[in-house]
Amino acid sequence: VSTRERLELLQGTLDLLILRTLLFGPQHGQGIARAIQEVSKDELLVEHGALYPALQRLETRKWIRAEWGRSANNRKARFYTLTKSGRKQLTKEETKWRRLTAAIGRILEANAGMV
Amino acid sequence: MREWFKRALPWRWRRLDDFCAEVESHVLLEADRLREQGLSEADAVAAARRSFGNATQARERFSGSRSWFLQSWLWQDLRFGVRILVRNPGLAILATLTFALVLGVNTAIFSVLNSALLKSLPVPHSDELVLLTDPNTSMILGGLLTGDRSLLTYPEYEKLRRSATTLTDLCAADVTLEHLPVRIAGSVPEHARARPVSESYFSTFGVRPAIGRLFSQSDATGAGKDPYAVISYRYWQRRFGGSLAVVGTTILVGKVQLVITGVAARSFRGEAVGQEPDLWFPLSMQPLIMGLDRLADTLPNSDAKFMWLHVIGRRKAEKTIGQVQAEVNVLFKAVLDGSYPASMASEDRRNALNQHIVVRSLGTGVFHGREEFSEQWTLLLALAILILLTACVNITNLLLARAAARTREIAVRLSIGASKGRLIRQFLTENLLLAALGGVFGLLVAKLVLHGLLSIISDANGSFAIAADLDWRVLVFALSGTLLAGLIFGIVPALRATRGDINEDLKVTGGTIKGSGRRATLARILVVTQVAASLVLVVGAGLFLRTLWNLESVALGYPIDNLLLIQIKNSTGSDQPTNLLRNDVVQRIERVPGVRSVSYSHRGLFSGFEGAFAVEVEGFRSNREEDRGSTGDSVGPKYFSTVGIPMLMGRQIVQQDAAQPPGVCVVNKAFAGHFFAGRNPLGEHITTVLSDADGKSKRRKLEVIGVAQNARVHSLRGRVDPKFYVPGAGPWLEIRTAIAPGSVLTSVRKAIAEAGSSIDIQSAKTLRETVSEQNAQSRMIAQLAAGFGLLALVLAATGLYGVLSYEIRQRSNEIGVRMALGARPRQIATMIFKETGFMIFAGATTGIAIAAVAARLLAAELYGLAAPSPRWSLASYEHVESTIQLYGIGAFDPPTLVGAVLVMFMVGWLAALFPAVRASRVDPVRVLRDE
């Protein structure tokens, strides 16, 4: 297990990351966590204590759907699928996120110029 | 169905075990991945588990993330709570029963208050009903009044009904509940409670019939032309067995056959609190049924009015009470102008025209003595709430002890990752569960206590009976009491239990508990609070008991024993004050063996009815209102010697004085002192207005022939008012006996029956019984207050006992060491007693301070309650007194305080006795070995 410092997830971004991960097809909790970690090149570590309540939350809001199935190595697992409203939500969240990062980026750039 | 729910409420159907399965699958998937990376089977699973982190916390957060999560954790906590309670049933039962008892008492007292003072009449749009008369009046007034009018005459009512435009309907009802002789279907004569009401009565209230029809304004076709009766639902059930055939049958009331047209709705009990009639009949039937015609404007040959009606209207929804009052007074002014002739003395007429109608919301109905009732029961409720708080403190202490016993369990739970909030919630749930259990049993207790209270309140003859039940207000009261109490005794132990230092608490083993000084201090503070509250209650009980004792030992001014009081009535039900007491009745009774002497009077002894008259006294001038009148009574020959009131000067009224018209009078010492200060009253004259036997009012000049000792004839409290006695007749027989009055009663009844069939015995009681009834309310208060005081003492004692025994267990080390160092058992016991004494002292000091402040507040409250001065020129009025007033002592009464403190110390040390003995028997060797 790597000991280097990891980035902490910003409040509310986990939902976005889960939805985004599920865009590529149904996945179970462990798979989602693994995917986020791998795609982010180990910069982001998903805390499991936060992952499952988030999944539960998304399911309650009907952005994702869950059902038990079999994993690639034939383990029983609960698979999550993006729903139609989940897709819409993802677009919304993504736009919001891009605007936010762009705005923060501009501020940082401007400051860099001033220094 | 289940599927449908599943879709509607998906989160409710995700179960915890499903979630756990998911977590397990996560761990296994992770382990698979690690194995692929080359770890061994066991290492892979362990590492996967480690990497998942705190699964328990995840599970709890899962529970917390569901919107209807309440379902889950509440259920869990409840299950755990029940397990804890069952594990220690003694404590659970004790706490539940204590709480149930005090909550039940509180709820019962509240439901009495609720039904008498809070509930509005169960009729449609009861907020539109207005009362044009004084809700506090309970008896017919005859005479001249000035100022705010308390009751109306029949013609006044009729004129208002015809002309008022701000009201949709107006009705009138007899202020008194008449006890009339009735015969039903030829059965034996019996009595029924009847109320004459206007034909518009039921339509004004909007009452619907249970069966049949209710008489209405269209039945009003003239005096004596609507011989109908409506019976109450309860009378229908009780007397007629709820038979549908009752409609259309006749009932003989007095000498008049009335047709029963229908039964009023079950919820309707009339406009007067506590006085439900058996039947209602139209006002126009009153003269035929009751003899004396009350429908006339004035009494015969006099300007005095016969005021006997409460008048109730239904205002138009868009009109305010102020608008109704304005209109009604304009109409009333015109009525007054027409009904007091110009021939009256100008001052009298000016006073008579200066009368107003006050319009109020009918609210809970008319209720004579509402203020006294509400004070009395509010005070009782305050005492009961104090008891409730004491009990809560007691239960808190019990639960604190239990929480302390669970210190280790809590420390373990905290150390393996339970959050504090979660533990506090657990404690709260457990304790609220206790409170809820107590609440449920409390309602049962309330039912029983209420039953008892109602039977105490109700008169023996059923003329005052409150129907109280547990309605929604009462349930809300009980529920909020339960919740509040549950929070009080739930939150303290919860906070205390979770505030510990885990590292210290984990070291706690079995019997020796160290470092719990914090809990001990808190428990001591609670006990001191409890002692203080109990002391206040004991002081209250002491004050009321002393008041009762003082009242029961008040000197009347004449012997209380061997006096029989009989009220008779014309058996036709007429209220005509005819001279029923022909001399032969008196003589017949006097011939009964054991009877010493017989006389009679108009207002009796402790009958509740007092007469007030305007008087002018020769040689006495004053402009003060209270100097213009005096109380008075008409009495028969030998009244003073029969009752036993000593004559101080002159002679008593004898047979020769009874000749009409009255020309002499006897005055009491208070009258002589007030009006004839320093003069000899004998031979002087007083002038007053008296009514003859036929109802005519005349001014009479009376010569004072004697001065009698002050005698208490209506009230045990206050000073004896000036009073004068004139020769006359009345319905009260006073019979002085040589032997116990009970043993002559049968013969006396027979003698009265032989005298004539037209005489009915209305009531027969000894003077002692009557005076004792007079004190019934004071006695009830004293008994309840004493009960509360006792309960408070028991609670304080058990509280002290609990804290002491816990402390001694906890301090067994210290005690053992002391003994090993040479302390004797006696010294140990003394130490315990000293510490107990200190706690009691602290509590008692606080309690006395609270009692002193409360005494000051109470005194101020009671001071504002000065008796209303009677308005002179009333033939009779009802005597009202406050029953919560202390008598013969101040609210700050040093002997009571000292007594209460002594009782507190006695009970406290008694509670300390057993723990102290146990402390002195601690075996130092065993304690030191354990160490």
Side-chain angles (χ1 to χ4, degrees):
Chain A
V1 179
S2 152
T3 49
R4 75 192 168 97
E5 211 176 304
R6 285 198 174 96
L7 293 175
E8 270 188 50
L9 274 177
L10 275 172
Q11 190 82 37
T13 48
L14 182 57
D15 289 8
L16 172 63
L17 297 183
I18 294 171
L19 293 175
R20 174 74 195 188
T21 310
L22 290 179
L23 195 57
F24 306 113
Q27 188 55 277
H28 47 70
Q30 189 257 355
I32 295 170
R34 183 59 40 202
I36 292 174
Q37 218 162 317
E38 277 169 5
V39 173
S40 72
K41 306 226 174 343
D42 262 4
E43 284 281 10
L44 296 174
L45 174 66
V46 177
E47 219 190 290
H48 302 115
L51 175 67
Y52 284 95
L55 285 171
Q56 190 59 37
R57 194 163 54 238
L58 295 176
E59 192 184 344
T60 306
R61 292 187 188 159
K62 300 196 175 163
W63 293 335
I64 57 176
R65 205 173 45 232
E67 66 204 330
W68 285 94
R70 290 275 161 189
S71 74
N73 50 1
N74 210 21
R75 290 239 180 244
K76 240 183 99 182
R78 200 161 189 261
F79 280 85
Y80 294 90
T81 318
L82 202 58
T83 64
K84 214 178 224 175
S85 63
R87 239 170 251 277
K88 250 183 245 164
Q89 183 63 23
L90 175 61
T91 322
K92 233 191 278 176
E93 296 266 319
E94 231 179 302
T95 318
K96 216 168 83 186
W97 179 252
R98 286 195 200 288
R99 280 175 59 198
L100 183 68
T101 47
I104 292 174
R106 272 197 295 280
I107 291 168
L108 294 177
E109 292 301 306
N111 276 359
M114 276 162 74
V115 171
Chain B
M1 194 64 186
R2 200 183 142 107
E3 277 306 302
W4 183 85
F5 271 121
K6 220 170 179 172
R7 227 166 297 136
L9 309 163
W11 58 91
R12 294 185 76 167
W13 295 95
R14 176 100 200 261
R15 295 172 49 129
L16 189 60
D17 48 8
D18 185 78
F19 176 76
C20 292
E22 187 176 9
V23 170
E24 195 53 35
S25 106
H26 180 113
V27 171
L28 292 177
L29 284 164
E30 186 72 16
D32 287 348
R33 197 182 64 86
L34 292 172
R35 234 189 341 267
E36 279 167 26
Q37 293 181 357
L39 264 74
S40 72
E41 173 73 33
D43 285 353
V45 173
R49 256 186 227 296
R50 216 167 31 244
S51 83
F52 187 85
N54 189 338
T56 315
Q57 221 160 44
R59 219 164 21 238
E60 292 205 344
R61 281 175 71 174
F62 162 77
S63 306
S65 71
R66 293 189 289 182
S67 333
W68 280 88
F69 52 90
L70 272 165
Q71 285 276 330
S72 144
W73 71 254
L74 189 61
W75 181 234
Q76 252 188 31
D77 284 2
L78 279 176
R79 273 196 316 206
F80 190 67
V82 169
R83 276 210 300 277
I84 291 280
L85 289 186
V86 170
R87 200 187 297 161
N88 195 346
L91 179 119
I93 290 169
L94 186 63
T96 308
L97 288 187
T98 310
F99 184 62
L101 182 64
V102 292
L103 184 79
V105 169
N106 268 277
T107 307
I109 290 179
F110 178 80
S111 64
V112 169
L113 262 173
N114 172 46
S115 68
L117 302 168
L118 299 178
K119 246 191 212 167
S120 50
L121 293 181
V123 297
H125 301 287
S126 57
D127 54 315
E128 288 171 2
L129 293 174
V130 292
L131 182 66
L132 277 61
T133 44
D134 181 358
N136 220 350
T137 320
S138 73
M139 89 157 274
I140 294 163
L141 304 167
L144 284 173
L145 283 181
T146 184
D148 293 338
R149 181 63 85 80
S150 40
L151 292 173
L152 295 184
T153 69
Y154 179 70
E156 287 165 351
Y157 151 71
E158 264 297 315
K159 281 173 197 151
L160 291 179
R161 185 181 68 78
R162 272 165 221 224
S163 325
T165 60
T166 49
L167 301 166
T168 57
D169 234 334
L170 194 65
C171 72
D174 187 351
V175 60
T176 51
L177 193 55
E178 310 288 345
H179 287 246
L180 297 179
V182 297
R183 288 186 91 142
I184 295 158
S187 66
V188 291
E190 55 195 292
H191 277 83
R193 300 185 296 248
R195 198 185 293 282
V197 295
S198 67
E199 287 85 355
S200 56
Y201 183 78
F202 296 107
S203 66
T204 303
F205 281 105
V207 178
R208 309 193 89 39
I211 58 163
R213 73 173 190 94
L214 308 175
F215 54 74
S216 68
Q217 196 61 42
S218 57
D219 292 308
T221 48
K225 288 190 181 157
D226 46 358
Y228 303 127
V230 169
I231 60 176
S232 78
Y233 189 90
R234 274 147 293 275
Y235 192 52
W236 179 44
Q237 294 294 326
R238 188 174 71 235
R239 184 60 187 78
F240 299 94
S243 157
L244 294 175
V246 75
V247 173
T249 59
T250 61
I251 174 172
L252 185 70
V253 181
K255 285 183 205 151
V256 182
Q257 293 281 356
L258 298 180
V259 179
I260 296 175
T261 62
V263 177
R266 180 177 191 165
S267 59
F268 187 69
R269 292 168 185 268
E271 77 289 350
V273 174
Q275 294 192 311
E276 186 188 10
D278 296 328
L279 61 99
W280 293 271
F281 61 81
L283 288 181
S284 71
M285 300 305 296
Q286 184 273 332
L288 286 177
I289 292 175
M290 295 165 62
L292 181 71
D293 183 356
R294 296 178 180 178
L295 302 182
D297 187 33
T298 49
L299 297 171
N301 304 321
S302 129
D303 298 318
K305 303 272 183 205
F306 203 78
M307 293 161 281
W308 63 299
L309 296 174
H310 272 305
V311 175
I312 297 140
R314 187 177 278 281
R315 66 180 161 85
K316 288 184 177 158
E318 71 275 13
K319 299 290 180 189
T320 64
I321 288 186
Q323 286 167 324
V324 175
Q325 171 151 333
E327 192 206 15
V328 163
N329 272 302
V330 169
L331 298 172
F332 188 51
K333 190 106 207 132
V335 174
L336 291 176
D337 254 331
S339 61
Y340 290 101
S343 58
M344 280 172 74
S346 65
E347 195 194 343
D348 287 353
R349 185 155 196 271
R350 204 166 46 244
N351 279 335
L353 292 186
N354 179 30
Q355 293 188 81
H356 315 281
I357 288 177
V358 180
V359 178
R360 307 165 172 85
S361 169
L362 179 61
T364 60
V366 304
F367 185 6
H368 162 64
R370 182 194 305 267
E371 220 162 286
E372 289 73 25
F373 192 90
S374 105
E375 270 161 16
Q376 191 178 315
W377 286 89
T378 314
L379 181 82
L380 286 177
L381 187 63
L383 292 180
I385 288 177
L386 204 54
I387 280 279
L388 183 66
L389 292 179
T390 318
C392 281
V393 173
N394 221 12
I395 296 172
T396 308
N397 246 340
L398 281 175
L399 295 178
L400 265 180
R402 190 183 65 174
R406 281 165 67 184
T407 311
R408 211 180 127 80
E409 171 209 326
I410 291 153
V412 168
R413 291 176 69 181
L414 278 172
S415 65
I416 58 169
S419 67
K420 278 195 179 181
R422 179 72 180 67
L423 278 180
I424 290 178
R425 210 170 60 192
Q426 170 66 45
F427 264 89
L428 259 181
T429 314
E430 274 171 49
N431 296 341
L432 278 172
L433 179 68
L434 256 185
L437 269 177
V440 170
F441 284 112
L443 284 181
L444 294 179
V445 174
K447 268 251 179 239
L448 293 175
V449 175
L450 184 60
H451 188 77
L453 286 179
L454 290 180
S455 65
I456 296 177
I457 300 169
S458 307
D459 283 8
N461 59 10
S463 66
F464 186 83
I466 283 183
D469 40 17
L470 308 177
D471 68 355
W472 65 268
R473 273 199 204 85
V474 177
L475 290 180
V476 166
F477 176 87
L479 191 68
S480 33
T482 305
L483 272 179
L484 197 74
L487 284 179
I488 292 176
F489 59 66
I491 201 84
V492 176
L495 290 179
R496 168 60 73 220
T498 52
R499 236 175 63 186
D501 176 348
I502 298 179
N503 287 329
E504 273 303 307
D505 288 343
L506 276 178
K507 291 182 198 150
V508 168
T509 49
T512 56
I513 302 167
K514 283 186 247 168
S516 337
R518 292 162 318 194
R519 196 201 83 83
T521 316
L522 181 67
R524 278 167 174 239
I525 292 173
L526 288 176
V527 165
V528 168
T529 318
Q530 222 177 351
V531 169
S534 310
L535 191 92
V536 173
L537 285 161
V538 172
V539 167
L543 289 176
F544 286 114
L545 284 172
R546 267 174 62 97
T547 294
L548 179 66
W549 194 79
N550 285 343
L551 282 174
E552 302 222 304
S553 50
V554 164
L556 299 178
Y558 49 94
I560 193 170
D561 285 312
N562 291 355
L563 192 66
L564 187 62
L565 307 173
I566 292 181
Q567 187 187 13
I568 57 170
K569 196 170 190 179
N570 195 320
S571 63
T572 60
S574 150
D575 50 12
Q576 191 113 24
T578 48
N579 194 348
L580 290 166
L581 294 166
R582 298 182 309 274
N583 285 324
D584 63 310
V585 180
V586 172
Q587 281 158 11
R588 272 174 203 275
I589 300 174
E590 272 182 335
R591 281 199 294 271
V592 171
V595 170
R596 195 175 276 167
S597 165
V598 180
S599 187
Y600 44 86
S601 65
H602 191 77
R603 292 179 182 89
L605 298 173
F606 295 97
S607 61
F609 298 115
E610 180 71 290
F613 301 86
V615 292
E616 291 157 32
V617 180
E618 262 178 0
F620 181 83
R621 283 256 147 263
S622 166
N623 290 323
R624 296 192 310 164
E625 185 61 26
E626 61 266 37
D627 288 339
R628 290 186 54 228
S630 162
T631 64
D633 200 357
S634 314
V635 301
K638 298 180 295 174
Y639 174 80
F640 295 92
S641 58
T642 302
V643 175
I645 304 171
M647 297 302 296
L648 302 175
M649 296 172 84
R651 62 172 178 87
Q652 67 169 325
I653 289 165
V654 295
Q655 192 67 51
Q656 287 71 32
D657 300 317
Q660 296 289 344
V664 297
C665 71
V666 168
V667 299
N668 70 356
K669 192 178 158 194
F671 190 104
H674 187 79
F675 293 100
F676 297 106
R679 294 185 288 148
N680 181 355
L682 297 186
E684 301 278 344
H685 291 85
I686 67 175
T687 310
T688 187
V689 178
L690 296 174
S691 58
D692 296 345
D694 57 0
K696 290 180 190 169
S697 296
K698 289 248 171 60
R699 275 174 86 81
R700 300 275 182 209
K701 197 167 186 183
L702 309 166
E703 184 191 337
V704 179
I705 54 164
V707 177
Q709 180 59 273
N710 286 341
R712 293 192 174 273
V713 290
H714 289 291
S715 171
L716 296 169
R717 298 164 185 258
R719 63 190 176 92
V720 177
D721 290 324
K723 192 178 198 81
F724 67 96
Y725 302 86
V726 296
W732 288 93
L733 282 166
E734 286 93 18
I735 302 169
R736 178 63 68 186
T737 57
I739 53 176
S743 54
V744 301
L745 185 57
T746 322
S747 329
V748 169
R749 276 181 190 277
K750 226 170 93 191
I752 293 174
E754 282 164 7
S757 58
S758 67
I759 300 176
D760 260 1
I761 294 182
Q762 181 95 346
S763 73
K765 277 175 204 152
T766 66
L767 176 61
R768 196 169 265 290
E769 283 165 4
T770 311
V771 171
S772 160
E773 272 170 30
Q774 181 88 359
N775 288 330
Q777 298 279 303
S778 300
R779 190 172 306 118
M780 179 190 78
I781 300 251
Q783 281 168 348
L784 286 176
F788 288 168
L790 212 62
L791 198 57
L793 280 178
V794 171
L795 287 174
T798 50
L800 254 174
Y801 173 82
V803 167
L804 287 174
S805 7
Y806 175 80
E807 271 192 12
I808 282 157
R809 220 179 318 143
Q810 180 191 344
R811 285 169 60 187
S812 54
N813 281 338
E814 175 208 324
I815 295 169
V817 171
R818 277 173 192 266
M819 289 179 108
L821 292 178
R824 289 163 198 283
R826 181 184 292 274
Q827 283 172 313
I828 298 292
T830 312
M831 180 182 80
I832 301 292
F833 278 122
K834 257 190 199 157
E835 287 175 10
T836 312
F838 178 74
M839 279 194 271
I840 301 171
F841 179 77
T845 320
T846 322
I848 286 181
I850 296 172
V853 172
R856 187 160 284 207
L857 293 178
L858 202 64
E861 169 76 6
L862 295 179
Y863 189 72
L865 267 181
S869 64
R871 289 162 295 182
W872 310 119
S873 80
L874 284 178
S876 54
Y877 65 91
E878 193 154 359
H879 193 94
V880 185
E881 50 190 37
S882 171
T883 47
I884 66 165
Q885 223 154 337
L886 301 175
Y887 181 76
I889 45 168
F892 188 85
D893 184 45
T896 308
L897 289 178
V898 171
V901 172
L902 286 182
V903 167
M904 206 69 237
F905 269 97
M906 258 166 53
V907 170
W909 274 326
L910 204 65
L913 192 62
F914 189 58
V917 167
R918 203 161 50 194
S920 65
R921 290 204 186 135
V922 166
D923 179 1
V925 177
R926 238 188 70 196
V927 167
L928 293 179
R929 197 169 44 222
D930 285 354
E931 191 68 355

